[in-house]
Amino acid sequence: MNEHEDAVFSAGVARRDVGAAESARAGRSWWDANADEYQADHGDFLGDARFVWGPEGLDEQDAGLLGDVTGRAVLEIGAGAAQCSRSLLARGASPVALDLSYRQLQHSRRIDLGHAVAVPAVQADAGALPFGDSVFDLAFSAYGALPFSPDGAGIMREVYRVLKPGGRWVFSLTHPVRWAFPDDPGPRGLTVRSSYFDTTPYVETDDEGQATYVEHHRTLGMRVREVAGAGFRLVDIVEPEWPEELAQVWGGWSPTRGRLIPGTAIFVCVKDGAPGGA
């Protein structure tokens, strides 16, 4: 899952419009620079071959949101070190892991070598998937790609294109309501500070004002319209509850907040009709 961690920044934070090229450049460079720390900090929770949908620890083997994966061609978008794909490989699927960050995919290769497995990996932008039409049975993203692109609708259309008829597209991201609250795991993070309806991107900048990290917020309704506009049928929106036994803090996710407000939204979609309007 691709949520930004606490860090020290030399220049500052801004809320401003950011285009696709600047977002992609910032995302690639940030994850290349921070992949080592991310995997070191969260490797125990993520495992080497575990499929969790978010910091609440909802496991796909329990949730079954993708359905039966045996023998299915599966695309993971924003794969990181491909822990989820590796889990599906062990369950009989044929996954392909895609990520914009070369360093994250190097970690995928490192884990593969340690387990004598091989998850096919591709470095590419989710907005321009390097695959033909109707080649995958399933596609998913666990906190990958969508929050870092200004063109979520374009990603949805690309996923629709590469899925076979009847294919399922499942993705998780920060619950949209969380954008109204400070990204603080303590009591301060329970008080609304911003407008939920303000979709101006969150941008961290260097000394020259260039974006080094970017996240894009969309309301729940906007995400639903992206799904429907691409031609998908929305089957479900899952909002995992915080487990009583889970004590960990991950960025702004924590027991304090997780037991009161949702932290993750999982969209379950099916390709079973003609594409709608953009």
Side-chain angles (χ1 to χ4, degrees), residues 207-218:
D207 291 326
E208 298 178 351
Q210 296 298 309
T212 58
Y213 179 90
V214 181
E215 278 198 55
H216 298 268
H217 165 54
R218 298 292 181 265

Side-chain angles (χ1 to χ4, degrees), residues 188-208:
R188 181 177 171 272
L190 295 173
T191 301
V192 171
R193 300 290 187 188
S194 304
S195 170
Y196 166 76
F197 301 101
D198 181 3
T199 59
T200 306
Y202 168 87
V203 186
E204 289 165 7
T205 59
D206 62 19
D207 291 326
E208 298 178 351

Side-chain angles (χ1 to χ4, degrees), residues 65-98:
L65 301 181
L66 290 175
D68 184 7
V69 301
T70 306
R72 301 294 186 93
V74 187
L75 174 62
E76 179 177 9
I77 295 175
Q83 287 93 340
C84 298
S85 284
R86 207 166 288 107
S87 171
L88 297 183
L89 182 67
R91 294 169 56 194
S94 297
V96 174
L98 179 144

Side-chain angles (χ1 to χ4, degrees), residues 231-256:
F232 287 106
R233 173 168 56 91
L234 182 62
V235 175
D236 198 2
I237 299 177
V238 179
E239 301 164 296
E241 293 189 46
W242 192 272
E244 286 295 328
E245 68 278 6
L246 185 61
Q248 79 157 13
V249 171
W250 180 321
W253 286 268
S254 67
T256 298

Side-chain angles (χ1 to χ4, degrees), residues 88-111:
L88 297 183
L89 182 67
R91 294 169 56 194
S94 297
V96 174
L98 179 144
D99 202 278
L100 188 63
S101 167
Y102 181 68
R103 186 57 179 165
Q104 286 280 50
L105 295 178
Q106 285 184 311
H107 280 285
S108 177
R109 180 60 176 159
R110 169 183 59 80
I111 297 172

